[in-house]
Amino acid sequence: MAQLIKNQTVTVDGWKTLEIAANEAAETIALPSGDVIFPLPVWQVRKAEIISTHKRIGLLLQPGDCIKDIAADLDYFIVIAVNFPKFVDGRGYSIASLLRQRYQFEGELRAVGDVLHDQLFFMARVGFDSYALKDGKNVTHALKAGFSPFSDSYQNATNQPLPYFRRRAA
Amino acid sequence: MYQYDAIDRQLINQRVAQYRDQVSRWKSGEMTDDEFRPLRLQNGLYFQRHAPMLRIAVPYGLMNSSQLRQLAFIARTYDKGYGHFTTRQNIQFNWPKVEDTPEILAHLAEVDMHAIQTSGNCVRNITTDQYAGVAADELIDPRPLAEILRQWSTFHPEFAFLPRKFKIAISGTREDRALTWFHDVGLHLQVENGEIGFRVLVGGGLGRTPIRGQVLREFLPWQHLLSYCEAILRVYNLEGRRDNAYKARIKILVQALGIEAFAERVEAEWAQLKDGPATITQAEFDRVAAHFAPPAYSAQEAIDLPLEKGFKNWVDRNTSAHKQPGYAAVTLSLKKHGVPPGDLTAEQMEAIADLADQFSFGELRISHEQNVILADVKNSDLHSVWLLAKKNGLATPNLGLLTGLICCPGGDFCDLANARSIPIAQAIQARFDDLDYLFDIGDIDVNISGCMNACGHHHVGHIGILGVDKNEAEFYQITLGGRQGNDAQLGKVIGPALSASEAPGAITRIIDVYLKQRHADERFIDTFDRIGIAPFKERVYEGRTHVTSKLDLLEAA
Ligand code: SF4
């Protein structure tokens, strides 16, 4: 189990993520009850059913998913999880920036997958606010040092809408 | 030059602490090799052939004498007493110990230097013309905007894990000296209706698939530089290929989409970002530009330079025109015959630092031709500078001549190499050791790369030499007719690759053809354009019966 970091602490994750096995299809897979994070393909074909059976809905995005497709649906989601299949795949950072800055998504934005200590600072900057730290990694040290290697930044990003040069004392 | 203030210093100090922690977590096994790799690369640390290599950033090639003295100290303390200047205006140390690298970075931070983003799939060092601010043909000084771009790209959270590396070059002169057509993004500063801005080029690059960049936007007012780059990088980050490292550069995306479709995407993204907080303010521009104000030049009387032949040769080749009357930009050649091109010993670094202090306002530049430039030397000091440079082996008057060649570290150091490049450079320098002969041959760019990654920019050399690997043996493929500048072009392959023993002789033959065929005062490249590749090809392969192997046939095709 990944360790979920939220609000500067390790929390118990109440969400389960629906996984589609190789022999299952988005159209027919059984929808579990409770707080579920649904992969985009399931959401796309089972939207009405999910809305009628689930109060709290989560969405799972893969790096190649197109956000424009779900721009109109964002209000349904309590949480959007963005998957990092490998930590060097940086598409999730642009996805998060767009969700926060362009589409004003205000729910929980969760980094999942290959989420490591040394990327937490960048993830927080683009707008993630929860992090499923990879299994076996040192969560104590991550909490202590991972979010604060730098005390400020030059460029604007989601968590600091003004670049440093606009915040310099005149 | 730009002086760090509290924030700049704080960030690089915090970077040292972060990196120290990363190294110790890697050493303790908390972090795997694969997890550490991109992190160390973004701090300039490669693991290669004999030892690790540490690449240190010299933003747009500019540094001061105390920084160079610190590099000398590092070379002596942590390396074998020398460093290597690269074609990207950076410096590399080839022999540090991994354990020492946090300490080296701490020493660098003491003089406002770092190794941030000198490698890895992120925005790399911004490069520009080595004569920025002093060139006689300069329209606009590119350095303030290069510095603003450097700050913006430093630790950019969205673009630290791009599909591949990303290189930006800025040029502010009539004649492009920054290879802007062959960068991921090339920026030409220009004035339109009294407004300063850029022509934006995209998708150029050398390497395995050399492509000349295309114009993405004819004119972008300077205030929008950051938001526009953000738009380009966002499109690239989301859409660039990640399945194949060889197809991951932005040039491949631009080719695949076509420049129109790519531009549409960038413009659509930019429409959302334009006029946002990233818009550069006049106050910020002025703050940064003030750091690049001209130094305290003094009025100079016209003087007659000594006529001594050695000195005159050096002035002819290694100094260039200056904006300020009575001053010259001096190039100290790191291409002494017999020394690996671009290498500099700790003693030479200190000598250059002294020269800079005494004669050039304490500053110096690194050029992509791997030389050091003292940009602001009084004409009346040239003779003293020459004598001191000569004493330190830095006055070989071969800038732009055959032996002033550009050469990557190649197989002697680099893991990616197919062949060694330094011995070829040295063999050429040995064959053409006679200065009068070199001067007679005149202007010619020779570029050597040890593999198709093209760090030696072989594609744009008048003569390009590329190391290729054939059945485990070192071979070299020669191209002719490449060039940099406004009409930048890729060289054409002359024929099948040659063995290490044949290659230097082939260069002699190529020069023979040129000398025989040239019209009075015609430069090599002009003769080449007039007579084409055939006469060179004939002469190089003369006496060879037939193109032999299948590989040869492929290459000849
Ligand atoms: S061109 Fe190839 S051999 Fe030369 S430095 Fe670059 S990667 Fe290494």
Side-chain angles (χ1 to χ4, degrees), chain B residues 443-457:
Chain B
D443 284 322
I444 185 164
D445 295 343
V446 178
N447 294 58
I448 310 176
S449 304
C451 75
M452 58 265 256
N453 286 313
C455 302
H457 301 163

Side-chain angles (χ1 to χ4, degrees), chain A residues 1-2 4 6 12-20 26 29-44 46 50 54-62 65 76-83 105 107-113 128-132:
Chain A
M1 263 301 278
L4 189 70
K6 208 175 149 178
V12 180
D13 184 11
W15 292 85
K16 48 182 173 265
T17 302
L18 175 63
E19 278 167 36
I20 313 177
I29 191 169
L31 303 182
S33 57
D35 291 350
V36 180
I37 296 177
F38 295 99
L40 179 65
V42 176
W43 171 256
Q44 283 173 324
R46 313 274 292 275
I50 292 172
H54 289 73
K55 266 210 206 78
R56 290 158 45 84
I57 304 167
L59 179 73
L60 175 66
L61 291 176
Q62 299 297 336
D65 289 343
Y76 289 111
F77 308 123
I78 308 266
V79 50
I80 296 181
V82 178
N83 187 32
F105 177 69
E108 179 181 331
L109 193 53
R110 179 183 294 190
V112 302
F128 287 102
D129 55 2
S130 73
Y131 317 84

Side-chain angles (χ1 to χ4, degrees), chain B residues 48 55 92 407-411 413-419 421 448-458 466:
Chain B
Q48 44 173 42
R55 181 183 295 152
Q92 294 178 179
C407 175
C408 81
F413 295 100
C414 178
D415 270 347
L416 303 170
N418 289 322
S421 41
I448 310 176
S449 304
C451 75
M452 58 265 256
N453 286 313
C455 302
H457 301 163
H458 64 274
L466 164 67

Side-chain angles (χ1 to χ4, degrees), chain B residues 421-432 500 503-505 508:
Chain B
S421 41
I422 295 169
I424 295 293
Q426 292 182 330
I428 293 172
Q429 289 175 334
R431 273 171 185 260
F432 294 90
T508 308

Side-chain angles (χ1 to χ4, degrees), chain B residues 70-138:
Chain B
Q70 191 78 330
L71 293 176
F73 164 77
I74 291 167
R76 216 174 260 135
T77 317
Y78 297 101
D79 202 283
K80 294 188 174 176
Y82 66 96
H84 172 78
F85 285 105
T86 76
T87 53
R88 300 214 69 254
Q89 301 181 296
N90 289 318
I91 181 166
Q92 294 178 179
F93 287 114
N94 279 312
W95 308 96
K97 291 201 196 67
V98 181
E99 299 69 32
D100 287 338
T101 50
E103 219 35 51
I104 297 175
L105 293 188
H107 284 302
L108 289 171
E110 289 165 14
V111 291
D112 301 343
M113 292 185 90
H114 57 78
I116 295 163
Q117 290 167 216
T118 54
S119 180
N121 296 335
C122 51
V123 182
R124 302 284 193 88
N125 188 21
I126 319 287
T127 52
T128 182
D129 174 16
Q130 65 266 29
Y131 301 120
V134 303
D137 67 339
E138 185 169 272

Side-chain angles (χ1 to χ4, degrees), chain B residues 9-117:
Chain B
R9 220 158 264 147
Q10 177 185 318
L11 291 177
I12 61 166
N13 285 329
Q14 289 176 332
R15 177 61 152 196
V16 175
Q18 181 196 40
Y19 177 70
R20 216 186 272 283
D21 178 52
Q22 289 167 346
V23 172
S24 86
R25 278 185 285 132
W26 171 66
K27 286 248 129 180
S28 75
E30 212 176 293
M31 202 194 295
T32 65
D33 287 350
D34 283 347
E35 290 166 358
F36 183 49
R37 189 170 174 275
L39 306 180
R40 65 171 161 78
L41 288 175
Q42 298 215 6
N43 279 295
L45 184 65
Y46 285 77
F47 288 171
Q48 44 173 42
R49 199 146 291 193
H50 309 289
M53 180 271 275
L54 182 66
R55 181 183 295 152
I56 291 158
V58 184
Y60 37 92
L62 195 53
M63 65 171 141
N64 64 34
S65 54
S66 4
Q67 293 176 324
L68 190 56
R69 285 197 187 91
Q70 191 78 330
L71 293 176
F73 164 77
I74 291 167
R76 216 174 260 135
T77 317
Y78 297 101
D79 202 283
K80 294 188 174 176
Y82 66 96
H84 172 78
F85 285 105
T86 76
T87 53
R88 300 214 69 254
Q89 301 181 296
N90 289 318
I91 181 166
Q92 294 178 179
F93 287 114
N94 279 312
W95 308 96
K97 291 201 196 67
V98 181
E99 299 69 32
D100 287 338
T101 50
E103 219 35 51
I104 297 175
L105 293 188
H107 284 302
L108 289 171
E110 289 165 14
V111 291
D112 301 343
M113 292 185 90
H114 57 78
I116 295 163
Q117 290 167 216

